Amino acid sequence: MLSPSESRFQPAFTGAERSAGHSSISESDPMIRSTRRVLLLVVASTFLNAALAQDKLVFSTDWLAQAEHGGFYQALAEGIYKRHGLDVTLKSGGPQVNGLQLLAAGQLDVVMADALQVLSAVEQQVPITAIAATFQKNPTVIIAHPGVTDLAALKGKPIAISAAANTTFWPWLKERYGFTDEQKRPYAFSVQPFLVDRNLSQQGFVTSEPFSIQKGGVKPVVFLLADLGYPPYSEALVVTRDTLAKRSDALRRFVQASAEGWKRYLTDPAAGNALIRKANPEMSDELLAYGLARMKEYAIVDGDDAKTRGLLTMTDVRWLGTLAFLRSAGLAKTGADYAKAWTLDVVSGVKVLP
């Protein structure tokens, strides 16, 4: 039996027609055979190119390559994106990179951003929306010296925080634990002041600053704010609404492949770490191992709703809880259409369980 492509390019005349006076056209004619082969090759090439065609996406993380981005590098290294029909360019963020601005300017297709950054952008009528969340638990921590057993015990004690904390976790700490602005000390993104002052606590990420403090000879006490109720997602995947409208299928495949990459990275990170070191040569194997170990210990990626709904999931409940916190802290603007800040339409079709 002939395939559809073969039957489509059979000679125009049947044997019956040839016997009725068209015998001058012969299937054994070299020119006919040659033409048929050319046509079949063209058709085969067309179908092959269509099958191999991949949707291009440019994705930027929120910082230099590190373990916190491991699942995305794993998906790239193991060809998971390609298997889902995607040609993904993975770019690193950094101190001089404003991913949301580049996204709004059309230079990126997907960026990584904190949930509070997304809500702030929506307040400013930037047409973006979050489609998934990498970190089910925000990695923000307060780090104290040995002997501190309760975060509430730090009330009235000096805590080094950054300026950005005034519109993120500091209002939450003030509301939850009665902390006051008199406790604030400037944080210069160095652990040295902490190491020399036993009375000082500081902010950090569970995957990084405690590592540096341990290297400095102090075994710190770490309080993960998410485990105490701090609600925002971290490392959300964000797109413009125009991209969402036009490329929803490609975005769903991107989230699916990224979730598969994270599942692989959490069990066998070698391929992803190799790409991370290539993108960020200053990243050490020791810090990569530490970052991954803390993400697993605290279930940063695979905890909470991800356990039953799948990696990279989001829920309306979490987003609405974040909004409730902002409103109670006086940080939410009236009149902003916050409902546009996130959508579950993409991630709801993805369920990669840890």
Side-chain angles (χ1 to χ4, degrees):
M1 180 179 291
L2 296 173
S3 69
S5 59
E6 289 173 322
S7 61
R8 180 181 175 185
F9 295 106
Q10 289 302 296
F13 299 99
T14 66
E17 290 171 326
R18 284 199 298 272
S19 64
H22 298 285
S23 58
S24 60
I25 300 179
S26 171
E27 290 189 358
S28 63
D29 190 312
M31 182 173 293
I32 293 294
R33 294 200 305 272
S34 176
T35 300
R36 182 185 301 168
R37 284 195 296 269
V38 170
L39 289 172
L40 287 173
L41 286 172
V42 169
V43 172
S45 177
T46 299
F47 281 115
L48 180 62
N49 288 336
L52 294 177
Q54 294 181 322
D55 289 303
K56 295 182 181 295
L57 287 174
V58 181
F59 168 51
S60 177
T61 62
D62 58 353
W63 198 250
L64 302 176
Q66 54 191 332
E68 292 90 323
H69 308 145
F72 304 106
Y73 283 95
Q74 191 85 10
L76 192 63
E78 293 192 347
I80 299 174
Y81 288 129
K82 286 188 176 181
R83 290 201 294 273
H84 284 277
L86 299 171
D87 179 4
V88 174
T89 299
L90 182 50
K91 295 188 174 184
S92 296
Q96 306 302 322
V97 179
N98 188 318
L100 290 178
Q101 284 186 359
L102 294 174
L103 179 72
Q107 297 182 39
L108 299 169
D109 297 309
V110 187
V111 300
M112 186 183 286
D114 185 272
L116 297 183
Q117 291 176 302
V118 176
L119 293 169
S120 177
V122 169
E123 287 177 347
Q124 300 170 52
Q125 299 185 343
V126 181
I128 62 170
T129 190
I131 60 172
T134 310
F135 287 174
Q136 300 302 299
K137 295 183 180 181
N138 192 295
T140 301
V141 294
I142 295 298
I143 306 168
H145 283 270
V148 178
T149 58
D150 188 345
L151 185 58
L154 297 180
K155 182 178 178 180
K157 305 291 180 61
I159 304 176
I161 65 168
S162 66
N166 290 304
T167 54
T168 56
F169 66 84
W170 186 250
W172 182 84
L173 286 171
K174 290 170 66 177
E175 183 179 283
R176 178 64 64 93
Y177 294 99
F179 289 3
T180 64
D181 288 340
E182 286 72 28
Q183 295 179 240
K184 294 191 300 184
R185 301 293 184 271
Y187 179 54
F189 297 91
S190 168
V191 301
Q192 290 306 311
F194 177 92
L195 292 174
V196 300
D197 185 352
R198 287 188 53 84
N199 294 314
L200 181 68
S201 298
Q202 70 159 71
Q203 72 174 62
F205 284 153
V206 70
T207 50
S208 54
E209 279 78 7
F211 174 83
S212 300
I213 289 171
Q214 287 184 21
K215 286 292 186 181
V218 175
K219 187 175 181 179
V221 176
V222 177
F223 298 101
L224 182 69
L225 300 188
D227 280 346
L228 299 171
Y230 184 56
Y233 285 117
S234 186
E235 292 197 357
L237 303 182
V238 187
V239 300
T240 64
R241 292 173 204 152
D242 184 62
T243 298
L244 177 62
K246 294 178 179 178
R247 308 187 67 188
S248 60
D249 179 65
L251 293 175
R252 184 198 60 76
R253 285 182 278 126
F254 175 74
V255 174
Q256 174 77 31
S258 298
E260 292 176 13
W262 270 107
K263 183 168 184 172
R264 288 284 301 137
Y265 186 74
L266 291 173
T267 56
D268 184 11
N273 283 344
L275 273 190
I276 290 173
R277 288 191 298 269
K278 183 176 180 181
N280 182 9
E282 295 184 5
M283 179 57 60
S284 68
D285 289 338
E286 189 178 12
L287 182 52
L288 282 171
Y290 181 89
L292 177 57
R294 297 293 79 74
M295 285 192 289
K296 293 170 72 172
E297 176 186 355
Y298 289 92
I300 299 295
V301 177
D302 58 354
D304 291 352
D305 293 311
K307 290 184 289 187
T308 56
R309 298 172 63 94
L311 299 171
L312 274 65
T313 195
M314 300 190 303
T315 67
D316 289 328
V317 171
R318 278 287 296 278
W319 279 97
L320 292 172
T322 301
L323 268 177
F325 148 60
L326 292 176
R327 288 182 172 126
S328 66
L331 297 173
K333 292 184 178 180
T334 58
D337 192 357
Y338 290 111
K340 293 182 178 179
W342 75 93
T343 177
L344 306 184
D345 290 349
V346 174
V347 77
S348 62
V350 176
K351 191 171 183 180
V352 179
L353 295 176

